[in-house]
Amino acid sequence: MVARNYYFTSESVTEGHPDKICDQVSDAILDAILAKEARLEREGYISPTGVAACVDNVRCACETFVTTGTVIVSGEIRTQAYVDVQKIARDTIRRIGYDRAKYGFDCETCGVINMIHEQSPDIAQGVDESFDVQAGNATDELDQIGAGDQGMMFGYASDETTALMPMPIFLAQRLAQRLSQVRKDAVVPYLRPDGKTQVTVRYEDDHPVEVTAIVISTQHDPTIEDMEVIKADMIKHVIAPVMAEEGVLWDHADVYVNPTGRFVVGGPMGDTGLTGRKIVVDTYGGMGRHGGGAFSGKDCTKVDRSAAYAARWVAKNVVAAGLAHRCEIELAYAIGVSRPLSVMVDTFGTAKVPEQIITKAVTEVFDLRPGAIIRDLDLRRPIFEKTAAYGHFGRNDPDFTWEATNRVDELRAAVEALQD
């Protein structure tokens, strides 16, 4: 591989961004359903129509739309659990920080419209009983679950940060997270929930060497008219702490804070929001490909979500095992079919062993059927609302099981055996 010199930029948004509000509401509803269905299952609940509660049977594709004064929740859900959609939406918006009218959006007074309906049986049948089972080709119970949709999913990892994430998106996410933290902790009391960050990194020989530009746009109280005050606070309380914690060189970076000069009208009053509209922010910031499917609001039978998590898990373990400096995994599925149609490994010329050996080792070590992914990553838990802001990858949280490097030894052993 020929090493390259270039600049790469990635962006992130805060939890108060309109699209991120929607992602969090959708995932909060999913979490509530999973939690209540699991409780009903433990209690032995059976519906009036004779259907027993079972968390394995939950199917959810929930989408949210927000605009001035209004929240619309829609989608297809199958569950025995009743959850209060209006209360969940209001509680989520309150937690984010839109809790008074002067912010342009108020969790207490906004309208919440529930348009959720039941999942189509045409979709459900292929997930509940896969093509493999119907054709008599099942080998074990994990073949029972078919993929919830067709499509391709990508996972990516790079050794340029300790989190094995690309540096531009990793820094942009940490800046966005810090921006919300100083607002909530009243370190910078005039901030409001909406905000965006952007980071440009200079690469030499494909390795990051310095940050050359930082952009922060943050909603603020209208009484703050001096943008130099906001800029000084952003440098002191947001940028400098994050860069120091990550040990990143940024001394010569161009810093832009609210470059339009004013950001008072924000959130759903400033722009509409929609679930699934920040898929690049959610993943690798454009460094690495994306299959196009969003994550939030979808239960784990939807491979848009679960297989993308699995692909990240695989890629991270490949890099952590020292088999490559960079790794991208592509998985492809057909709706209702339990086994992936293809598994592709791309190390961008950084592999320490032939890619075909890594690919073979991956297929030996990782079971990438939806049922196995759900089992191995424990995806029936109500853990998804917190994934819906600041990235689904590269975060140190035990609930993010796809971030575990727990297959490193097995991968190394498989590679060694294949080389013998």
Side-chain angles (χ1 to χ4, degrees):
M1 180 188 71
V2 178
R4 302 170 300 153
N5 300 333
Y6 54 92
Y7 295 82
F8 198 92
T9 302
S10 295
E11 71 159 350
S12 181
V13 299
T14 66
E15 61 203 65
H17 186 281
D19 293 329
K20 275 290 146 212
I21 295 172
C22 296
D23 287 342
Q24 290 165 94
V25 169
S26 294
D27 271 338
I29 291 167
L30 170 61
D31 280 353
I33 290 169
L34 290 172
K36 188 166 184 180
E37 185 91 22
R39 178 172 63 81
L40 292 175
E41 182 179 359
R42 290 192 299 271
E43 295 171 354
Y45 173 81
I46 298 177
S47 74
T49 58
V51 180
C54 177
V55 72
D56 289 354
N57 292 334
V58 168
R59 301 290 181 266
C60 183
C62 177
E63 298 193 23
T64 304
F65 170 86
V66 296
T67 188
T68 304
T70 305
V71 181
I72 300 175
V73 183
S74 62
E76 301 79 44
I77 295 178
R78 184 181 75 183
T79 181
Q80 300 306 309
Y82 167 80
V83 297
D84 189 337
V85 170
Q86 282 215 9
K87 183 177 187 303
I88 293 167
R90 295 186 192 280
D91 287 350
T92 303
I93 294 165
R94 181 182 299 107
R95 174 189 60 74
I96 290 168
Y98 288 108
D99 56 1
R100 57 199 68 186
K102 69 179 182 179
Y103 288 179
F105 200 71
D106 183 1
C107 61
E108 301 294 345
T109 60
C110 66
V112 180
I113 302 170
N114 181 358
M115 301 181 66
I116 292 171
H117 58 89
E118 189 174 0
Q119 184 192 45
S120 163
D122 294 347
I123 296 174
Q125 65 180 354
V127 179
D128 297 341
E129 184 177 78
S130 73
F131 171 84
D132 307 84
V133 171
Q134 297 176 37
N137 298 326
T139 58
D140 60 41
E141 63 180 10
L142 293 176
D143 277 329
Q144 176 74 31
I145 299 175
D149 202 351
Q150 70 176 47
M152 65 283 188
M153 299 83 211
F154 290 91
Y156 183 87
S158 168
D159 62 6
E160 63 191 65
T161 62
T162 55
L164 302 187
M165 287 288 287
M167 184 174 285
I169 186 63
F170 182 73
L171 293 177
Q173 298 283 25
R174 300 294 75 78
L175 287 172
Q177 202 165 27
R178 176 74 180 170
L179 182 58
S180 286
Q181 181 183 333
V182 299
R183 170 179 61 86
K184 291 181 174 181
D185 294 345
V187 174
V188 186
Y190 57 79
L191 297 181
R192 291 181 173 176
D194 197 357
K196 302 179 79 171
T197 63
Q198 186 172 290
V199 177
T200 301
V201 175
R202 182 169 66 87
Y203 285 74
E204 287 185 1
D205 297 333
D206 282 308
H207 296 290
V209 294
E210 67 171 340
V211 172
T212 61
I214 299 168
V215 183
I216 294 182
S217 296
T218 179
Q219 188 184 13
H220 60 88
D221 189 288
T223 61
I224 307 300
E225 298 180 351
D226 188 348
M227 291 303 109
E228 290 303 314
V229 170
I230 300 178
K231 182 174 181 178
D233 283 341
M234 292 300 97
I235 291 173
K236 179 180 178 180
H237 297 296
V238 178
I239 299 172
V242 169
M243 297 301 165
E245 183 178 349
E246 300 304 329
V248 175
L249 181 65
W250 68 288
D251 299 17
H252 304 293
D254 295 321
V255 176
Y256 302 90
V257 175
N258 287 9
T260 64
R262 180 178 170 90
F263 186 1
V264 172
V265 178
M269 187 176 183
D271 198 2
T272 59
L274 185 66
T275 298
R277 206 156 54 180
K278 284 290 177 284
I279 59 176
V280 172
V281 168
D282 285 342
T283 52
Y284 309 102
M287 184 87 72
R289 286 167 282 196
H290 198 296
F295 301 156
S296 290
K298 296 178 181 177
D299 75 90
C300 55
T301 66
K302 309 293 190 298
V303 284
D304 278 342
R305 182 171 219 156
S306 55
Y309 288 178
R312 163 64 177 173
W313 182 40
V314 175
K316 189 172 182 181
N317 276 268
V318 168
V319 173
L323 301 176
H325 292 295
R326 297 166 60 199
C327 181
E328 184 176 75
I329 304 293
E330 185 202 39
L331 307 175
Y333 293 86
I335 187 169
V337 178
S338 64
R339 297 178 186 276
L341 305 183
S342 67
V343 178
M344 185 274 288
V345 176
D346 187 351
T347 63
F348 308 94
T350 70
K352 307 294 182 62
V353 297
E355 276 186 358
Q356 61 266 30
I357 289 180
I358 298 176
T359 303
K360 179 65 174 174
V362 162
T363 59
E364 290 181 1
V365 171
F366 294 91
D367 188 340
L368 296 168
R369 292 174 292 174
I373 292 170
I374 293 167
R375 175 199 64 192
D376 294 341
L377 298 182
D378 197 10
L379 296 180
R380 300 279 190 196
R381 297 168 297 141
I383 60 168
F384 297 109
E385 183 182 357
K386 62 184 173 181
T387 70
Y390 312 117
H392 293 247
F393 308 123
R395 294 166 62 183
N396 183 22
D397 186 310
D399 284 332
F400 287 50
T401 48
W402 48 93
E403 292 295 309
T405 52
N406 53 356
R407 297 290 175 91
V408 164
D409 292 339
E410 291 176 70
L411 269 176
R412 287 172 178 160
V415 166
E416 290 176 7
L418 290 165
Q419 288 179 306
D420 289 343

